[in-house]
Amino acid sequence: MRSRRTVDVPTLVREAREGSPRALGRLLTLVENAAPELREIMAALAPHTGRARIVGLTGSPGVGKSTSTSMLVSVLRRRDLRVGVLAVDPSSPFSGGALLGDRIRLVEHALDPQVYIRSMASRGHLGGLAWTTPQAIRVLDAAGCDVILVETVGVGQSEVEIAGLADTTIVLLAPGMGDGVQAAKAGILEIGDVFVVNKADREGAPATVRELRHMISLGDRTEPHLWRPPVLTTIADRGEGGDEVLEALDSHWAWLQEHGQLEERRRARAAGEVQALALEQLRSRMGSPTEGVLREVVDEVLAGRLDPYAAADRVVADLA
Amino acid sequence: MRSRRTVDVPTLVREAREGSPRALGRLLTLVENAAPELREIMAALAPHTGRARIVGLTGSPGVGKSTSTSMLVSVLRRRDLRVGVLAVDPSSPFSGGALLGDRIRLVEHALDPQVYIRSMASRGHLGGLAWTTPQAIRVLDAAGCDVILVETVGVGQSEVEIAGLADTTIVLLAPGMGDGVQAAKAGILEIGDVFVVNKADREGAPATVRELRHMISLGDRTEPHLWRPPVLTTIADRGEGGDEVLEALDSHWAWLQEHGQLEERRRARAAGEVQALALEQLRSRMGSPTEGVLREVVDEVLAGRLDPYAAADRVVADLA
């Protein structure tokens, strides 16, 4: 670790808002490192947030997430929109930084000043994605990104969490993955606003589409006001189908606004973020297992004289 | 969902302690469902906990976790020890219960009354494993299990969490998995107390062992009092190497006691458990995003008048 430089927050925020990728990168690094300046940074960003559309993109390894992200960036750029990409890797609790290994597809956008791409490891923070990603989204939002794509690999909770962060969640599948439809059964039907079967030139694509549509029709989404997630096909490495995905995103965006769902999703997201920060604050106040009330009650628990619930009651009472 | 029956906690706890698998299963279901009776159950169990040795077993899909667990159960049974097995699947946030798909190897122990096997989905609880597993361990511990094997698939954070729960963590690898050594680099070197290269009859096994030993020798574990994790080989589906693994577990157990590490690990585990319960209590006190202080501050955050940190301050102040 290098020694920390002093951070001139107002200048950094101004430069990021003026479009400096260096300033933007610096802010995101401060977010990733949970730097003490984050309070000041978030206060400075607050008035400039709330404009960007947040699109989540999730899928199992091998479905073509990077290629699809790259295709989406291309169609968004054709509309002259400013795009931020956060590639979140929740499987890397220990990694110190960006894992750009399979991000080669995104290199084509690397020189476009209207595209900002960043890989982030979620590093086992409390709540995983819940901690770092919303703040990274705030940074890109305040810096003037019109659309922020949050790409994450679908492993366990991460895809559920991403659905909580995004205005619209794209679930990506590929035919013949075997686990695709299995995964759908395991819960992604509930989180997808738009389903995309990528690699649609492969054998089995129509069957995957059919099965997905069937499963969606069986779901709870039958009330008239509820959104019916479309199932689209793409061949992302040839750039085919990107326009249709963007149209679906637009339709969903319109639906969100018409039915008050945008407000509702953003409220839930902000509440989750505030709660996570409040809990982290409370957690740090509880101190360490070797001092204070926590130490006392843990001694009792280890001796079998107190159960963990009664111990938790005492810890909570001590905070109040 | 069936309607809930009233739970006679004292009887259930007594029967579980007398060895009734039915009562044990019922208690674990109440844990999985975060039933309101848990407070009473944990209070009744508390005086009977702290005896069992907790052994974590983790590894990537395909390394032979089930087979290895089964082999370990067999060697432990030869010593006439009572064994509990918790197979935790952190990748199933939505699944309602046990996924016994690949647990066929464990069937050989199904009729042994001194072996209790349970699959659990961690279901996206706050903190994942941190929530349900410690309580399930308490149940098995109080029910008189001498050794509790907690098996989890290594995806992201789960293997780090399991290391926090166990007295001894076994990291399982297989030769020619490609990702084995990669995974090691990604962090499992830090969490393994005993490394086992399973499928040792496969090509590449000696190389995997050599590489692991080399990497361990490069690690931080060079001080005289630190444990040097052994690297063993097994062919679990032929039952080869189980005795050596058990010997390594015994050595580690002795080391833990000699160096005060057992006390330290158990203290950290209990503290984590108490903290998680206290935080959950505080979280539920914060109320919902549509009422009270949380609603107020979220309105301000959405309007850009408050940043999430300042909002969290207000939520915390309101709790105290």
Side-chain angles (χ1 to χ4, degrees), chain A residues 113-249:
Chain A
Q114 297 303 310
V115 179
Y116 189 85
I117 298 165
R118 173 81 170 218
S119 285
M120 297 184 94
S122 70
R123 297 211 228 165
H125 276 303
L126 180 74
L129 289 179
W131 186 250
T132 322
T133 316
Q135 305 207 32
I137 289 173
R138 279 177 185 279
V139 170
L140 292 171
D141 184 1
C145 289
D146 299 295
V147 176
I148 300 168
L149 296 173
V150 184
E151 178 201 315
T152 189
V153 69
V155 286
Q157 287 175 235
S158 61
E159 66 267 33
V160 182
E161 289 178 23
I162 207 176
L165 293 175
D167 300 322
T168 301
T169 299
I170 302 175
V171 171
L172 208 64
L173 297 103
M177 295 277 299
D179 62 345
V181 167
Q182 285 302 322
K185 284 178 188 161
I188 59 163
L189 281 182
E190 284 88 339
I191 63 159
D193 300 305
V194 174
F195 289 87
V196 176
V197 176
N198 189 33
K199 305 185 182 181
D201 49 344
R202 287 208 187 161
E203 206 184 334
T208 303
V209 170
R210 222 166 25 239
E211 250 185 285
L212 263 175
R213 287 203 176 121
H214 178 62
M215 284 190 290
I216 290 166
S217 74
L218 295 176
D220 293 334
R221 314 191 184 210
T222 48
E223 298 153 52
H225 287 305
L226 286 186
W227 171 256
R228 281 209 163 248
V231 179
L232 308 172
T233 56
T234 56
I235 308 173
D237 57 10
R238 287 198 239 136
E240 289 178 24
D243 290 317
E244 289 75 10
V245 175
L246 191 50
E247 276 165 35
L249 293 179

Side-chain angles (χ1 to χ4, degrees), chain A residues 38-39 42 126 130-132 134-135 138 270-284, chain B residues 286 301 307-313 315-316:
Chain A
L38 276 188
R39 293 187 77 99
M42 290 303 148
L126 180 74
W131 186 250
T132 322
Q135 305 207 32
R138 279 177 185 279
E273 200 183 344
V274 170
Q275 270 192 336
L277 290 170
L279 287 171
E280 180 53 30
Q281 216 181 100
L282 290 162
R283 198 193 56 74
S284 73
Chain B
M286 284 178 198
V301 169
D307 69 272
Y309 286 90
D313 290 346
V315 170
V316 169

Side-chain angles (χ1 to χ4, degrees), chain A residues 35 38-39 42-44 46-50 90-95 122-129 131 135 138 155-157 159-160 185-188 190-191 263 266-268 270-271 273-275 277-290 294-299 301-313 315-317 319-320, chain B residues 35 38-39 42-44 46-50 90-95 122-129 131 135 138 155-157 159-160 186-188 190-191 263 266-268 270-275 277-290 294-299 301-313 315-317 319-320:
Chain A
L38 276 188
R39 293 187 77 99
M42 290 303 148
H48 311 294
T49 55
S91 65
S92 292
F94 286 101
S95 155
S122 70
R123 297 211 228 165
H125 276 303
L126 180 74
L129 289 179
W131 186 250
Q135 305 207 32
R138 279 177 185 279
V155 286
Q157 287 175 235
E159 66 267 33
V160 182
K185 284 178 188 161
I188 59 163
E190 284 88 339
I191 63 159
E263 159 79 13
R266 292 194 161 191
R267 173 170 295 281
E273 200 183 344
V274 170
Q275 270 192 336
L277 290 170
L279 287 171
E280 180 53 30
Q281 216 181 100
L282 290 162
R283 198 193 56 74
S284 73
R285 277 207 211 168
M286 285 177 198
S288 90
T290 53
L294 194 55
R295 192 213 160 98
E296 276 172 44
V297 298
V298 165
D299 279 340
V301 169
L302 290 175
R305 289 189 297 266
L306 203 63
D307 71 88
Y309 286 90
D313 290 346
V315 170
V316 168
L319 283 176
Chain B
L38 277 188
R39 292 187 76 99
M42 290 303 147
H48 311 294
T49 55
S91 65
S92 293
F94 287 100
S95 154
S122 70
R123 295 212 230 165
H125 277 303
L126 180 74
L129 290 178
W131 187 250
Q135 304 206 31
R138 279 177 184 280
V155 287
Q157 287 176 233
E159 67 265 35
V160 182
I188 58 162
E190 285 87 341
I191 63 160
E263 158 79 13
R266 294 193 159 190
R267 172 170 296 279
E273 200 182 345
V274 170
Q275 270 193 336
L277 290 170
L279 287 171
E280 180 53 30
Q281 215 182 99
L282 290 162
R283 198 194 56 73
S284 72
R285 277 206 210 169
M286 284 178 198
S288 89
T290 54
L294 194 55
R295 192 212 159 99
E296 275 171 44
V297 298
V298 165
D299 280 340
V301 169
L302 290 175
R305 288 190 297 268
L306 203 63
D307 69 272
Y309 286 90
D313 290 346
V315 170
V316 169
L319 284 176

Side-chain angles (χ1 to χ4, degrees), chain A residues 43-71:
Chain A
L45 297 179
H48 311 294
T49 55
R51 260 193 66 256
R53 281 167 64 174
I54 322 295
V55 177
L57 193 145
T58 189
S60 305
V63 296
K65 282 185 298 299
S66 278
T67 327
S68 298
T69 299
S70 183
M71 178 177 70

